[in-house]
């Protein structure tokens, strides 16, 4: 088997096709399947510990290893907290030693080492615990300063700086000043830089409210000043509706809101603290969709804004200026979901079966059906094979987050030709990737309780990269097959490990045939296997980053 470049087929029973390509790259080395890059967590490790406080020094002593400076925590107690500290309040760790810390009220104060003045030890048992993320719903980036923002299902906004003075660079830190917000499902973000470059505003969309903050400069992020409930949307509080937001090519923010599209535009130099109609124009119903519709996602195509609706089977094009939308585009499947424009072809996720469509603005066609045997390998009948996650583009390829009902969850990468691989999954294990942000082949992915960076510093090791062949028919009831030797060919001599397994059907477990330790001095490895009485065989190869797998050959 050697046809890696064809990607994953629609069936493991199709001749000359691959059943699974996971954590591998099929376009990095011609003719080979290269072990891929491994994501790393972009959040702190969850931490909870009892602690005691010394009023004279403001130092607290933990019973567990203290997280890094600037990590956000909250406090609880069985009786009374030490004087100077409060419940339901965000504090930021100042790490003094592995088991001691002080507490600051902002990231800026934490970085400066300025702790809260503790004036008493309190009574009872006190606990300190990190503020941990819910499900990450959206990730956006401020390209001017290379800062990424994420919003989770608790309505908490986080930020990560790849440059700047924040201590915990490349780790998401809490930007919200308070985590006890209502109407807080956290369903949209938009970054807007004002016309004179003096401010950059982050708009956060909760269930029914829009919050805003100036995130220009480190100080505004380290000592945040939010305007919570800046505007009230049409959506009823508590409904957890999607509020996908984008900054259009016309420099106007558009967002979904129940059956409406809202907009925020700059009139002069935007200042959200002023009244609507002075420096900005906020329109809560810039476009009405049909009664009963629930707008879900926005994407641009030429002058039009395309809108999917979660509870019908149409895409609604809007030229952004007319009173109504244009002729709806039938998707062919109920439940429009997320979209992504790649080279003026808009890919549309729809329904629950794993079907991806494409449109150029007038009609919609099926582009790719994710293989059912990968997304739902159970024998029971179900209406849902996949729950769609995030969507992005990397190197001209479509990235799609997939929560499989009973199969392979993670990020599927699909080329314009429809070749599919499972490119990655969260560092915590296979799960739906609910948010994706990609500038290039290195992307960020959010999921339930965390997010990962995909970068060149982490590697899949040993047996984390997997390819599976088709199920070969090599014998029958009367004429059984015998295989005596397995050979592995790699493109470049490299130190590592390759493990080859087999099974005789597509539901059983793989049995190891051979394990090879590769070296910098050879590209071909073989060994005797002695398999007999075979009618069918499927091969699985497991290996690590950097190995370019060329061929697996089985000989009689």
């Amino acid at each position: 088997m050697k046809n890696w470049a064809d990607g994953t087929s629609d069936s493991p029973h199709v001749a000359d096709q691959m059943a699974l390509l996971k954590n591998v790259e099929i376009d990095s080395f011609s003719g080979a399947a290269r072990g891929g890059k491994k994501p790393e967590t972009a959040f702190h490790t969850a931490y909870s510990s009892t602690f005691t406080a010394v009023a004279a020094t403001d130092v607290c002593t933990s019973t567990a290893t203290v997280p890094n400076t600037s990590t956000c925590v909250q406090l609880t107690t069985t009786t009374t907290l030490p004087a100077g500290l409060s419940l339901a309040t965000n504090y930021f760790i100042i790490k003094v030693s592995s088991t001691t810390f002080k507490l600051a009220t902002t990231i800026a104060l934490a970085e400066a080492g300025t702790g809260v003045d503790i004036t008493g030890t309190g009574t009872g048992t006190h606990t300190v615990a990190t503020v941990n993320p819910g499900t990450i719903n959206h990730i956006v980036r401020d390209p001017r300063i290379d800062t990424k923002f994420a919003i989770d299902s608790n309505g908490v906004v986080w930020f990560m700086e790849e440059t700047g003075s924040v201590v915990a660079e490349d780790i998401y830190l809490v930007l919200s000043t308070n985590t006890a917000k209502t109407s807080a499902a956290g369903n949209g973000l938009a970054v807007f830089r004002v016309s004179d470059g003096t401010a950059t505003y982050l708009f956060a969309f909760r269930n029914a409210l829009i919050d805003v903050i100036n995130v220009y400069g480190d100080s505004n992020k380290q000592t945040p000043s939010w305007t919570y409930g800046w505007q009230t949307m049409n959506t009823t509080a508590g409904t957890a509706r999607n509020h996908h937001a984008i900054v259009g090519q016309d420099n106007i923010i558009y967002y979904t809101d129940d059956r409406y599209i809202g907009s925020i535009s700059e009139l002069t130099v935007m200042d959200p603290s002023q009244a609507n109609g002075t420096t900005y124009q906020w329109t809560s119903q810039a476009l009405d969709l049909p009664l009963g519709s629930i707008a879900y996602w926005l994407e641009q195509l030429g002058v039009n804004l395309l809108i999917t609706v979660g509870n019908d089977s149409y895409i609604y094009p809007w030229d952004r200026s007319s009173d109504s939308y244009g002729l709806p585009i039938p998707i062919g499947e109920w439940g429009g979901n997320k979209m992504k424009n790649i080279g003026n072809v808009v890919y549309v996720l729809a329904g629950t079966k794993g079907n991806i469509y494409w449109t150029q603005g007038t009609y919609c066609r099926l582009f790719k059906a994710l293989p059912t045997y990968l997304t739902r390998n159970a024998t029971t009948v179900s209406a849902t094979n996949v729950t769609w996650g995030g969507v992005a583009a990397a190197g001209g390829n479509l990235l799609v987050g997939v929560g499989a009902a009973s199969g392979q969850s993670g990020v599927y990468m699909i080329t314009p030709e429809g070749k599919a691989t499972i490119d990655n999954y969260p560092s915590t294990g296979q799960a739906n990737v609910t948010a994706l942000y990609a500038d290039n082949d290195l992307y960020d992915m959010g999921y339930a309780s965390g997010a990962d960076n995909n970068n060149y510093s982490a590697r899949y090791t040993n047996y984390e990269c997997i390819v599976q062949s088709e199920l070969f028919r090599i014998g029958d009831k009367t004429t059984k097959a015998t295989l005596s030797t397995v050979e592995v060919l790699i493109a470049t001599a490299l130190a590592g490990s390759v493990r080859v397994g087999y099974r005789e059907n597509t539901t059983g477990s793989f049995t190891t045939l051979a394990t090879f330790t590769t070296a910098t001095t050879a590209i071909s490895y073989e060994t005797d296997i002695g398999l007999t009485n075979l009618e069918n065989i499927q091969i699985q190869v497991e290996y690590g980053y950097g190995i370019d797998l060329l061929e697996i050959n089985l000989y009689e």
Side-chain angles (χ1 to χ4, degrees):
M1 62 184 204
K2 57 182 179 179
N3 52 316
W4 329 111
D6 289 338
T8 298
S9 73
D10 294 333
S11 168
H13 303 281
V14 176
D16 299 322
Q17 292 291 326
M18 302 305 299
L20 175 65
L21 290 162
K22 182 176 180 179
N23 302 337
V24 301
E25 301 169 2
I26 60 175
D27 56 1
S28 295
F29 193 106
S30 180
R34 169 171 287 184
K37 303 175 291 293
K38 185 175 185 176
E40 292 182 309
T41 183
F43 272 92
H44 58 265
T45 301
Y47 157 84
S48 180
S49 172
T50 59
F51 73 95
T52 57
V54 177
T57 61
D58 302 327
V59 172
C60 302
T61 299
S62 169
T63 55
T65 301
V66 175
N68 290 333
T69 293
S70 297
T71 302
C72 187
V73 295
Q74 288 199 358
L75 312 176
T76 57
T77 184
T78 58
T79 310
T80 305
L81 283 175
L85 301 176
S86 301
L87 298 171
T89 300
N90 285 357
Y91 292 103
F92 299 88
I93 289 286
I94 302 170
K95 188 170 184 175
V96 178
S97 72
S98 62
T99 57
T100 59
F101 61 94
K102 294 183 179 182
L103 295 170
T105 54
T106 67
I107 292 174
L109 291 173
E111 290 194 6
T114 305
V116 173
D117 182 18
I118 297 174
T119 58
T121 58
T123 58
T125 301
H126 316 308
T127 300
V128 55
T130 46
V131 174
N132 300 317
T135 298
I136 302 299
N137 287 330
H138 293 279
I139 302 172
V140 297
R141 177 173 174 260
D142 179 359
R144 182 186 60 83
I145 53 175
D146 208 12
T147 298
K148 292 169 186 170
F149 301 94
I151 188 168
D152 70 17
S153 54
N154 300 318
V156 178
V157 179
W158 307 76
F159 77 100
M160 176 176 67
E161 287 191 331
E162 295 182 359
T163 58
S165 64
V166 174
V167 168
E169 292 181 8
D170 297 329
I171 295 292
Y172 278 104
L173 299 174
V174 167
L175 183 65
S176 302
T177 54
N178 140 13
T179 58
K181 294 187 295 294
T182 59
S183 182
N187 282 314
L189 284 177
V191 176
F192 185 89
R193 187 181 184 186
V194 301
S195 54
D196 69 353
T198 58
T200 300
Y201 292 104
L202 179 69
F203 293 86
F205 298 80
R206 293 188 268 146
N207 286 344
L209 300 171
I210 305 174
D211 305 328
V212 65
I213 183 177
N214 182 9
V215 292
Y216 184 91
D218 283 347
S219 61
N220 286 329
K221 295 188 289 294
Q222 295 175 32
T223 309
S225 178
W226 281 90
T227 301
Y228 289 115
W230 173 70
Q231 302 290 355
T232 300
M233 292 184 284
N234 300 285
T235 300
T236 304
T239 52
R241 295 278 168 80
N242 199 55
H243 296 306
H244 182 229
I246 64 171
V247 180
Q249 57 199 13
D250 53 5
N251 205 37
I252 296 174
I253 297 172
Y254 297 97
Y255 61 92
T256 61
D257 179 15
D258 201 76
R259 74 178 187 93
Y260 306 101
I261 304 300
S263 66
I264 306 168
S265 59
E266 186 179 51
L267 298 179
T268 58
V269 178
M270 181 184 289
D271 181 355
S273 68
Q274 297 186 18
N276 187 27
T278 53
T279 64
Y280 65 90
Q281 181 64 54
W282 170 65
T283 305
S284 66
Q285 299 178 8
L287 175 70
D288 296 11
L289 293 172
L291 288 171
S293 298
I294 302 172
Y296 190 81
W297 202 259
L298 304 172
E299 185 55 284
Q300 299 181 99
L301 181 62
V303 299
N304 280 337
L305 197 64
L306 302 185
I307 306 152
T308 53
V309 168
N311 59 340
D312 73 13
S313 57
Y314 294 94
I315 300 169
Y316 295 87
W318 178 43
D319 64 10
R320 313 179 206 225
S321 60
S322 298
D323 291 336
S324 185
Y325 48 83
L327 185 66
I329 306 166
I331 300 173
E333 186 167 355
W334 184 267
N337 202 277
K338 299 178 182 179
M339 298 179 285
K340 188 63 183 178
N341 186 330
I342 305 177
N344 272 345
V345 174
V346 175
Y347 297 92
V348 185
L349 315 183
T352 58
K353 291 297 186 182
N355 294 328
I356 303 173
Y357 298 82
W358 66 267
T359 182
Q360 43 42 297
T362 57
Y363 57 85
C364 210
R365 295 288 185 270
L366 181 66
F367 165 63
K368 179 71 176 181
L370 298 183
T372 301
Y373 71 91
L374 290 183
T375 59
R376 185 171 182 82
N377 55 25
T379 57
T380 56
V381 176
S382 172
T384 300
N385 288 353
V386 305
T387 300
W388 294 114
V391 66
N397 299 319
L398 180 67
L399 297 176
V400 179
V402 172
S406 54
Q408 300 287 336
S409 296
V411 178
Y412 284 62
M413 177 178 283
I414 308 168
T415 70
E417 299 79 25
K419 301 173 183 178
T421 63
I422 299 173
D423 194 60
N424 258 312
Y425 53 82
S427 58
T428 53
Q430 285 196 196
N432 191 7
V433 174
T434 51
L436 280 165
Y437 178 82
D439 287 321
N440 46 46
D441 290 344
L442 305 179
Y443 52 87
D444 288 25
M445 53 185 178
Y447 47 88
S449 303
D452 288 346
N453 291 318
N454 186 318
N455 56 54
Y456 285 121
S457 65
R459 305 286 187 265
Y460 282 111
T461 59
N462 296 328
Y463 309 123
E464 295 180 297
C465 304
I466 301 172
V467 298
Q468 293 175 2
S469 73
E470 64 176 285
L471 183 71
F472 294 101
R473 179 75 168 171
I474 59 175
D476 56 36
K477 293 293 183 184
T478 59
T479 306
K480 306 289 187 176
T482 296
L483 298 172
S484 61
T485 305
V486 62
E487 179 189 30
V488 173
L489 294 178
I490 60 177
T492 305
L494 184 74
S497 299
V498 178
R499 183 165 65 195
V500 182
Y502 83 102
R503 62 184 179 183
E504 297 181 53
N505 56 64
T506 57
T507 59
S509 299
F510 284 93
T511 299
T512 298
L513 277 176
T515 301
F516 300 101
T517 300
T518 61
T520 57
T521 55
I523 62 171
S524 177
Y525 304 86
E526 66 177 60
T527 191
D528 294 336
I529 52 175
L531 291 180
T532 60
N533 297 319
L534 297 173
E535 294 181 34
N536 306 291
I537 190 169
Q538 183 180 30
I539 300 299
Q540 174 175 276
V541 188
E542 303 163 280
Y543 54 105
Y545 174 83
I547 289 180
D548 294 308
L549 186 65
L550 280 178
E551 296 183 19
I552 301 294
N553 296 313
L554 298 169
Y555 301 106
E556 293 183 350

